[in-house]
Short mmCIF file of all heavy atoms in Angstrom, two decimals:
data_model
loop_
_atom_site.label_atom_id
_atom_site.label_comp_id
_atom_site.label_asym_id
_atom_site.label_seq_id
_atom_site.Cartn_x
_atom_site.Cartn_y
_atom_site.Cartn_z
N ASN A 72 -8.78 10.78 -30.46
CA ASN A 72 -9.13 10.73 -29.04
C ASN A 72 -10.59 10.18 -28.94
O ASN A 72 -11.64 10.92 -28.93
CB ASN A 72 -9.10 12.12 -28.42
CG ASN A 72 -7.68 12.65 -28.32
OD1 ASN A 72 -6.95 12.10 -27.55
ND2 ASN A 72 -7.38 13.63 -29.15
N LEU A 73 -10.72 8.84 -29.01
CA LEU A 73 -11.99 8.19 -28.97
C LEU A 73 -12.58 8.24 -27.56
O LEU A 73 -11.94 7.87 -26.60
CB LEU A 73 -11.89 6.76 -29.40
CG LEU A 73 -11.25 6.51 -30.79
CD1 LEU A 73 -11.21 5.07 -31.19
CD2 LEU A 73 -11.92 7.36 -31.89
N LYS A 74 -13.82 8.74 -27.46
CA LYS A 74 -14.53 8.71 -26.17
C LYS A 74 -15.32 7.36 -26.12
O LYS A 74 -16.21 7.16 -26.92
CB LYS A 74 -15.40 9.91 -26.00
CG LYS A 74 -14.65 11.26 -25.84
CD LYS A 74 -15.56 12.31 -25.49
CE LYS A 74 -14.81 13.60 -25.21
NZ LYS A 74 -15.67 14.73 -24.89
N LEU A 75 -15.00 6.54 -25.16
CA LEU A 75 -15.59 5.21 -25.09
C LEU A 75 -16.31 4.91 -23.79
O LEU A 75 -15.87 5.24 -22.70
CB LEU A 75 -14.42 4.15 -25.26
CG LEU A 75 -13.57 4.36 -26.44
CD1 LEU A 75 -12.34 3.45 -26.37
CD2 LEU A 75 -14.38 4.03 -27.73
N GLY A 76 -17.56 4.41 -23.94
CA GLY A 76 -18.27 3.89 -22.71
C GLY A 76 -17.78 2.52 -22.44
O GLY A 76 -17.93 1.63 -23.31
N TYR A 77 -17.13 2.31 -21.32
CA TYR A 77 -16.47 1.04 -21.10
C TYR A 77 -17.36 -0.12 -21.19
O TYR A 77 -17.08 -1.21 -21.55
CB TYR A 77 -15.71 1.00 -19.70
CG TYR A 77 -14.56 0.13 -19.65
CD1 TYR A 77 -13.22 0.54 -19.97
CD2 TYR A 77 -14.74 -1.26 -19.30
CE1 TYR A 77 -12.23 -0.32 -19.89
CE2 TYR A 77 -13.70 -2.12 -19.24
CZ TYR A 77 -12.41 -1.64 -19.55
OH TYR A 77 -11.36 -2.48 -19.53
N GLU A 78 -18.59 0.05 -20.61
CA GLU A 78 -19.59 -0.99 -20.66
C GLU A 78 -19.99 -1.46 -22.03
O GLU A 78 -20.63 -2.52 -22.24
CB GLU A 78 -20.85 -0.68 -19.80
CG GLU A 78 -20.55 -0.55 -18.32
CD GLU A 78 -20.02 0.79 -17.90
OE1 GLU A 78 -19.60 1.59 -18.81
OE2 GLU A 78 -19.88 1.07 -16.70
N GLN A 79 -19.79 -0.60 -22.97
CA GLN A 79 -20.20 -0.83 -24.36
C GLN A 79 -19.20 -1.55 -25.30
O GLN A 79 -19.43 -1.79 -26.44
CB GLN A 79 -20.59 0.50 -25.03
CG GLN A 79 -21.79 1.19 -24.21
CD GLN A 79 -22.08 2.50 -24.75
OE1 GLN A 79 -21.44 3.03 -25.67
NE2 GLN A 79 -23.07 3.21 -24.14
N PHE A 80 -17.96 -1.86 -24.75
CA PHE A 80 -17.00 -2.50 -25.48
C PHE A 80 -17.40 -3.84 -25.94
O PHE A 80 -18.25 -4.55 -25.20
CB PHE A 80 -15.66 -2.69 -24.74
CG PHE A 80 -14.91 -1.42 -24.50
CD1 PHE A 80 -13.86 -1.37 -23.56
CD2 PHE A 80 -15.19 -0.24 -25.20
CE1 PHE A 80 -13.16 -0.20 -23.33
CE2 PHE A 80 -14.45 0.90 -25.00
CZ PHE A 80 -13.49 0.92 -24.06
N THR A 81 -17.00 -4.41 -27.04
CA THR A 81 -17.18 -5.71 -27.49
C THR A 81 -15.81 -6.43 -27.55
O THR A 81 -14.82 -5.81 -27.59
CB THR A 81 -17.90 -5.75 -28.92
OG1 THR A 81 -17.06 -5.02 -29.83
CG2 THR A 81 -19.29 -5.20 -28.83
N TYR A 82 -15.93 -7.73 -27.62
CA TYR A 82 -14.73 -8.52 -27.53
C TYR A 82 -14.69 -9.63 -28.55
O TYR A 82 -15.75 -10.08 -29.04
CB TYR A 82 -14.65 -9.11 -26.09
CG TYR A 82 -14.83 -8.14 -25.04
CD1 TYR A 82 -16.11 -7.91 -24.49
CD2 TYR A 82 -13.75 -7.42 -24.59
CE1 TYR A 82 -16.29 -6.95 -23.53
CE2 TYR A 82 -13.96 -6.44 -23.51
CZ TYR A 82 -15.17 -6.22 -23.05
OH TYR A 82 -15.39 -5.26 -22.09
N ARG A 83 -13.42 -10.15 -28.82
CA ARG A 83 -13.37 -11.36 -29.63
C ARG A 83 -12.12 -12.14 -29.20
O ARG A 83 -11.25 -11.59 -28.61
CB ARG A 83 -13.21 -10.96 -31.17
CG ARG A 83 -11.97 -10.24 -31.51
CD ARG A 83 -11.89 -10.04 -33.04
NE ARG A 83 -10.84 -9.16 -33.44
CZ ARG A 83 -9.55 -9.59 -33.66
NH1 ARG A 83 -9.23 -10.87 -33.54
NH2 ARG A 83 -8.63 -8.71 -34.07
N ARG A 84 -12.11 -13.37 -29.51
CA ARG A 84 -11.00 -14.27 -29.11
C ARG A 84 -9.74 -13.82 -29.93
O ARG A 84 -9.83 -13.45 -31.02
CB ARG A 84 -11.32 -15.71 -29.47
CG ARG A 84 -12.54 -16.28 -28.87
CD ARG A 84 -12.37 -16.59 -27.34
NE ARG A 84 -11.36 -17.59 -27.12
CZ ARG A 84 -11.19 -18.12 -25.85
NH1 ARG A 84 -11.92 -17.71 -24.89
NH2 ARG A 84 -10.31 -19.06 -25.71
N ILE A 85 -8.58 -13.97 -29.24
CA ILE A 85 -7.31 -13.62 -30.01
C ILE A 85 -6.33 -14.77 -29.95
O ILE A 85 -5.24 -14.59 -30.37
CB ILE A 85 -6.63 -12.38 -29.42
CG1 ILE A 85 -6.36 -12.48 -27.98
CG2 ILE A 85 -7.59 -11.13 -29.72
CD1 ILE A 85 -5.44 -11.32 -27.47
N ASP A 86 -6.68 -15.89 -29.28
CA ASP A 86 -5.75 -16.99 -29.31
C ASP A 86 -6.48 -18.28 -29.41
O ASP A 86 -7.70 -18.30 -29.33
CB ASP A 86 -4.73 -16.94 -28.12
CG ASP A 86 -5.55 -17.09 -26.85
OD1 ASP A 86 -6.36 -17.98 -26.71
OD2 ASP A 86 -5.25 -16.25 -25.93
N SER A 87 -5.72 -19.36 -29.54
CA SER A 87 -6.37 -20.70 -29.66
C SER A 87 -6.15 -21.63 -28.45
O SER A 87 -6.30 -22.76 -28.54
CB SER A 87 -5.82 -21.36 -30.92
OG SER A 87 -4.43 -21.48 -30.90
N HIS A 88 -5.63 -21.00 -27.35
CA HIS A 88 -5.37 -21.78 -26.15
C HIS A 88 -6.69 -22.35 -25.61
O HIS A 88 -7.71 -21.73 -25.62
CB HIS A 88 -4.69 -20.91 -25.04
CG HIS A 88 -3.25 -20.58 -25.38
ND1 HIS A 88 -2.27 -21.56 -25.33
CD2 HIS A 88 -2.67 -19.42 -25.80
CE1 HIS A 88 -1.15 -20.99 -25.66
NE2 HIS A 88 -1.36 -19.72 -25.89
N SER A 89 -6.58 -23.54 -25.15
CA SER A 89 -7.77 -24.15 -24.44
C SER A 89 -7.49 -24.13 -22.98
O SER A 89 -6.59 -24.77 -22.46
CB SER A 89 -7.89 -25.59 -24.89
OG SER A 89 -8.93 -26.23 -24.17
N PHE A 90 -8.24 -23.18 -22.32
CA PHE A 90 -7.99 -23.03 -20.85
C PHE A 90 -8.58 -24.10 -20.10
O PHE A 90 -9.77 -24.47 -20.23
CB PHE A 90 -8.58 -21.69 -20.47
CG PHE A 90 -7.81 -20.49 -21.04
CD1 PHE A 90 -8.39 -19.79 -22.10
CD2 PHE A 90 -6.52 -20.13 -20.62
CE1 PHE A 90 -7.73 -18.68 -22.63
CE2 PHE A 90 -5.87 -19.07 -21.18
CZ PHE A 90 -6.44 -18.38 -22.23
N PRO A 91 -7.81 -24.74 -19.17
CA PRO A 91 -8.27 -25.93 -18.44
C PRO A 91 -9.35 -25.60 -17.44
O PRO A 91 -10.10 -26.53 -17.06
CB PRO A 91 -7.01 -26.41 -17.78
CG PRO A 91 -6.18 -25.16 -17.60
CD PRO A 91 -6.41 -24.36 -18.85
N SER A 92 -9.51 -24.39 -16.95
CA SER A 92 -10.47 -24.09 -15.89
C SER A 92 -10.82 -22.63 -15.92
O SER A 92 -10.03 -21.86 -16.39
CB SER A 92 -9.92 -24.53 -14.57
OG SER A 92 -8.79 -23.74 -14.20
N PRO A 93 -12.01 -22.25 -15.47
CA PRO A 93 -12.39 -20.82 -15.33
C PRO A 93 -11.29 -20.11 -14.51
O PRO A 93 -10.84 -20.60 -13.52
CB PRO A 93 -13.71 -20.88 -14.69
CG PRO A 93 -14.22 -22.18 -14.95
CD PRO A 93 -13.05 -23.12 -14.91
N GLY A 94 -10.98 -18.86 -14.94
CA GLY A 94 -10.05 -18.08 -14.15
C GLY A 94 -8.64 -18.21 -14.63
O GLY A 94 -7.79 -17.50 -14.10
#
Side-chain angles (χ1 to χ4, degrees):
N72 292 291
L73 305 184
K74 291 188 176 181
L75 305 168
Y77 205 92
E78 292 83 350
Q79 299 171 1
F80 288 166
T81 56
Y82 309 92
R83 67 176 172 86
R84 303 286 296 190
I85 59 168
D86 62 50
S87 58
H88 288 287
S89 177
F90 292 105
S92 63

